[in-house]
Amino acid sequence: MRFQWSAVFGAVLDDSEVLDLGRGQADPGAGDNPLAAGPVTLDEADLAAVRENLPGAITDGPNPVTVRDPDVPDELPRTQTVARALNSTTFSGFSTVLESIHNGVHGWVGGAMSAVPIAAYDPVFWAHHSTIDRRWYLWQISPRGVNPPAGLLDQALAPWPVTVRQVLGISTLGYEYAAQVIG
């Protein structure tokens, strides 16, 4: 059984193929897939810098979009890895495994998603981060979920004028996820 990332990024055909991931504007199979590619709206100087320093992350031309270079599906997070994160009994244990899952998916998608300065231009960035955020929420409501260490709670989250403590509960941020309790 494959974990949700496979469903988000495409249906698995065999050990080496993925459908509907989309590789940017140059992908004739992208069709109407809203996660296929995102416009990169940078000024000319920044576009030139991205193209020079991150070759292949965006398309050429006057209206660039994000490009991907996904790895084989076997490199996506496994159900057991996600379970290990959700079964962690400490904030440190949970956050270490979740961060590894998070970083691994960025690397797996490749292209713009693997480049911090432009990753958020790729629509998959937002789907991926929602998945990571939901894992954090599920761990929080589980019997094992605990707050970060006290020393982190009043740390500012620059560049925003909020602290860790102020964003711990998703309801205070104005959204919710479907209820699912991890036993």
Side-chain angles (χ1 to χ4, degrees), residues 2-183:
R2 297 217 180 267
F3 188 64
Q4 284 179 311
W5 278 277
S6 295
V8 170
F9 295 122
V12 176
L13 292 177
D14 65 32
D15 289 342
S16 64
E17 297 181 89
V18 177
L19 282 177
D20 289 336
L21 175 62
R23 294 176 187 264
Q25 189 177 34
D27 181 10
D32 291 330
N33 181 351
L35 297 181
V40 178
T41 55
L42 297 171
D43 62 37
E44 290 301 319
D46 288 338
L47 274 175
V50 167
R51 287 184 170 130
E52 180 180 337
N53 297 306
L54 304 168
I58 62 175
T59 59
D60 292 329
N63 299 308
V65 297
T66 56
V67 175
R68 301 192 188 118
D69 183 23
D71 209 337
V72 296
D74 284 347
E75 298 301 318
L76 287 168
R78 303 211 185 292
T79 302
Q80 303 91 309
T81 307
V82 175
R84 191 170 75 241
L86 293 174
N87 289 325
S88 295
T89 57
T90 65
F91 174 78
S92 176
F94 171 77
S95 62
T96 298
V97 177
L98 190 67
E99 187 67 17
S100 174
I101 291 168
H102 164 267
N103 294 345
V105 172
H106 274 277
W108 180 86
V109 173
M113 271 284 284
S114 65
V116 173
I118 59 170
Y121 285 105
D122 190 325
V124 167
F125 174 94
W126 302 101
H128 170 51
H129 280 249
S130 295
T131 301
I132 294 297
D133 185 67
R134 185 163 185 272
R135 297 293 165 222
W136 162 243
Y137 166 74
L138 291 174
W139 185 74
Q140 278 184 303
I141 65 171
S142 79
R144 291 167 293 286
V146 295
N147 279 335
L152 293 178
L153 292 175
D154 294 316
Q155 199 170 70
L157 297 171
W160 299 279
V162 295
T163 64
V164 170
R165 183 185 311 273
Q166 292 172 304
V167 297
L168 284 177
I170 63 171
S171 61
T172 62
L173 299 173
Y175 65 97
E176 295 181 10
Y177 290 109
Q180 175 184 349
V181 177
I182 308 297

